[in-house]
Amino acid sequence: MAVIGVHCKIRKRKVTHFEIHSKCPPMGLETLKIDDFQLHASTTKRYGLGAHRGRLNIQAGLYEDDLYDGAWCAGRDDPLQWFEVDARRLTKFTGVITQGRSSLGRESDWVTSYKVMVSNDSHTWITLKNGSKDLIFIGNREKEIPVRNIFPAPVIGRYIRVNPRSWLPSGSICMRVEILGCPMPDPNNYYHRRNEVITTDDLDFRHHSYKEMRQLMKVVNEMCPNITRIYNIGKSHSGLKLYAIEISDNPGEHEIGEPEFRYTAGSHGNEVLGRELLLLLMQFMCLEYLSGNQRIRHLVEETRIHLLPSVNPDGYEKAFEVGSELSGWSLGRWSNDGIDIHHNFPDLNSILWDAEAKKWIPRKMFNHHVPVPEWFLSKNASVSLIDCYIVL
């Protein structure tokens, strides 16, 4: 048997910049791997043209006002608009693919140029640069053919935004988008969507009595002593203290220029969900702060938050003692003095008194609200306390 020898010469070829950066695949806007909750936009023309429709190759409905139209379209046509994708984990972004709006009519809408920005926390954004200048990517020339732009170098972040800079003069800002990106290898850096509370968190999901509520607030304070403070605003008719918890990077201190919020729940004592929501909120904020959640840390450092989970504990205890089957809708609803605390806010009183004057309600309601302090209305006041109440 003859053996034939083959002489092969191996040629070295330099791998191009484009080949290196184009290896990251599409993240999945088109395939729905990226879900609707991960897509956000500055403004929206209408629901059917919302951020959830800004997916590559998505098709328009049969009618132009269909709930499922053919792109994301901004509510205004100006350079301040953006389309955002939350990767939910640190990702190496390498490129963007864009199309115009799919339309069965004569409408022509597409973006002709855009910038790209990335962020780790959705607050601080970095624009891709070409030297010292913002990098401008060339977009579409018609509505259907996709245009791919590969970044000069990969960028790492959790969020990515496409910021349209110019568009068809006779059209509007409308885009269908795909992002090219590779998730970073750490499997523990997955984040849930903004404001998402999931039941796998170590939160206490149950109804809490007055004593249990106090104990839970104490646990939160002990877990996060540097950002929480418990205080009381007085006592109920039966002598129960009205406990509140403050969440701030400097608890107990009034910081000039820092906004303050107070959330008050349980004004109707027999409506219990508001109390539980605030107890869950204080647990969630403490745990997320400790875990390094950037959005929660931003809230704590830039806002002074007060949570008052039960402003009518007497009513709660009265309704709880009888039980939900026997208490009825009114037992525990009001304070022991017969005051409906829920209607005890200045902004609602004018409506209430007008109703009395027109004989729309059968009897007079007490108005024992505490007037707004004069210093709140002063021209030199630096902070306003915004008071919200929850009656679920």
Side-chain angles (χ1 to χ4, degrees):
M1 178 182 294
V3 177
I4 301 175
V6 179
H7 177 71
C8 297
K9 184 177 181 181
I10 300 175
R11 296 183 178 179
K12 294 183 179 181
R13 183 174 66 88
K14 185 177 180 181
V15 179
T16 66
H17 166 87
F18 179 85
E19 289 174 314
I20 294 174
H21 294 328
S22 62
K23 288 182 178 180
C24 283
M27 292 181 58
L29 277 75
E30 181 179 6
T31 62
L32 303 182
K33 182 179 179 181
I34 298 293
D35 66 39
D36 288 351
F37 293 108
Q38 293 174 257
L39 305 178
H40 308 276
S42 51
T43 60
T44 297
K45 184 169 291 188
R46 63 172 182 271
Y47 177 79
L49 294 168
H52 64 295
R53 301 298 293 172
R55 301 174 180 273
L56 195 73
N57 289 322
I58 206 164
Q59 300 299 302
L62 293 176
Y63 306 100
E64 287 304 319
D65 60 349
D66 199 288
L67 291 177
Y68 305 102
D69 219 324
W72 161 67
C73 290
R76 301 187 305 271
D77 293 324
D78 62 50
L80 300 178
Q81 306 306 306
W82 47 260
F83 176 84
E84 176 185 303
V85 179
D86 176 2
R88 292 192 181 174
R89 63 185 299 169
L90 292 179
T91 300
K92 180 173 70 174
F93 299 114
T94 60
V96 173
I97 304 173
T98 61
Q99 285 173 304
R101 172 184 172 184
S102 172
S103 175
L104 300 180
R106 297 181 179 178
E107 289 76 9
S108 294
D109 301 298
W110 60 80
V111 170
T112 56
S113 68
Y114 58 88
K115 294 181 182 180
V116 173
M117 299 176 286
V118 295
S119 172
N120 289 330
D121 59 9
S122 82
H123 294 289
T124 303
W125 292 88
I126 297 174
T127 302
L128 271 61
K129 298 286 186 179
N130 181 14
S132 60
K133 297 182 179 180
D134 292 347
L135 185 58
I136 303 294
F137 293 95
I138 302 301
N140 300 89
R141 296 183 177 180
E142 57 90 67
K143 62 185 181 181
E144 290 297 340
I145 299 177
V147 173
R148 179 174 65 172
N149 280 298
I150 301 298
F151 301 158
V155 288
I156 295 175
R158 171 180 169 177
Y159 302 91
I160 184 168
R161 280 182 180 177
V162 178
N163 167 220
R165 305 304 295 176
S166 61
W167 46 94
L168 186 69
S170 60
S172 299
I173 295 177
C174 295
M175 303 184 77
R176 290 177 285 170
V177 179
E178 182 62 83
I179 304 296
L180 305 178
C182 300
M184 300 301 287
D186 182 2
N188 298 316
N189 67 5
Y190 178 88
Y191 301 95
H192 293 277
R193 69 174 183 263
R194 294 176 182 172
N195 307 322
E196 180 183 16
V197 183
I198 57 173
T199 56
T200 55
D201 285 335
D202 188 19
L203 303 181
D204 196 358
F205 286 90
R206 61 190 176 92
H207 285 176
H208 295 77
S209 67
Y210 177 78
K211 182 179 179 180
E212 292 168 336
M213 178 187 72
R214 288 191 324 178
Q215 291 173 339
L216 179 57
M217 295 174 73
K218 183 179 179 182
V219 168
V220 172
N221 177 238
E222 290 173 349
M223 289 177 60
C224 296
N226 295 331
I227 62 167
T228 62
R229 176 179 69 98
I230 297 175
Y231 62 97
N232 75 79
I233 64 170
K235 294 182 179 180
S236 69
H237 185 273
S238 63
L240 298 178
K241 292 182 179 180
L242 306 181
Y243 285 105
I245 191 168
E246 175 190 347
I247 302 177
S248 171
D249 58 340
N250 293 300
E253 295 185 22
H254 169 76
E255 298 183 68
I256 295 177
E258 184 170 85
E260 298 192 37
F261 290 81
R262 179 171 63 236
Y263 291 94
T264 301
S267 56
H268 289 164
N270 61 352
E271 296 174 354
V272 300
L273 184 56
R275 172 189 287 196
E276 304 309 325
L277 287 175
L278 290 192
L279 292 177
L280 289 171
L281 178 60
M282 64 181 70
Q283 294 177 75
F284 177 74
M285 293 191 68
C286 172
L287 291 172
E288 291 297 299
Y289 183 89
L290 293 176
S291 68
N293 184 315
Q294 291 299 314
R295 293 183 64 81
I296 298 301
R297 284 185 172 268
H298 179 78
L299 280 174
V300 171
E301 293 164 3
E302 302 298 332
T303 314
R304 193 180 183 197
I305 301 169
H306 306 263
L307 306 179
L308 176 60
S310 184
V311 74
N312 184 10
D314 292 349
Y316 183 101
E317 297 298 312
K318 187 183 298 184
F320 178 80
E321 182 179 355
V322 176
S324 60
E325 292 80 10
L326 301 175
S327 62
W329 72 272
S330 61
L331 183 64
R333 181 180 179 87
W334 298 291
S335 71
N336 280 27
D337 299 328
I339 297 174
D340 189 338
I341 300 174
H342 172 49
H343 291 161
N344 207 25
F345 290 82
D347 289 342
L348 296 178
N349 286 330
S350 59
I351 301 173
L352 209 59
W353 308 146
D354 187 55
E356 281 189 0
K358 296 179 180 178
K359 309 298 182 184
W360 288 350
I361 54 178
R363 63 183 179 86
K364 287 199 171 186
M365 307 289 289
F366 295 109
N367 176 22
H368 291 168
H369 74 267
V370 177
V372 177
E374 290 184 5
W375 68 269
F376 269 67
L377 306 177
S378 170
K379 293 182 179 180
N380 296 324
S382 58
V383 169
S384 293
L385 179 67
I386 300 178
D387 200 347
C388 304
Y389 56 94
I390 299 177
V391 284
L392 296 175

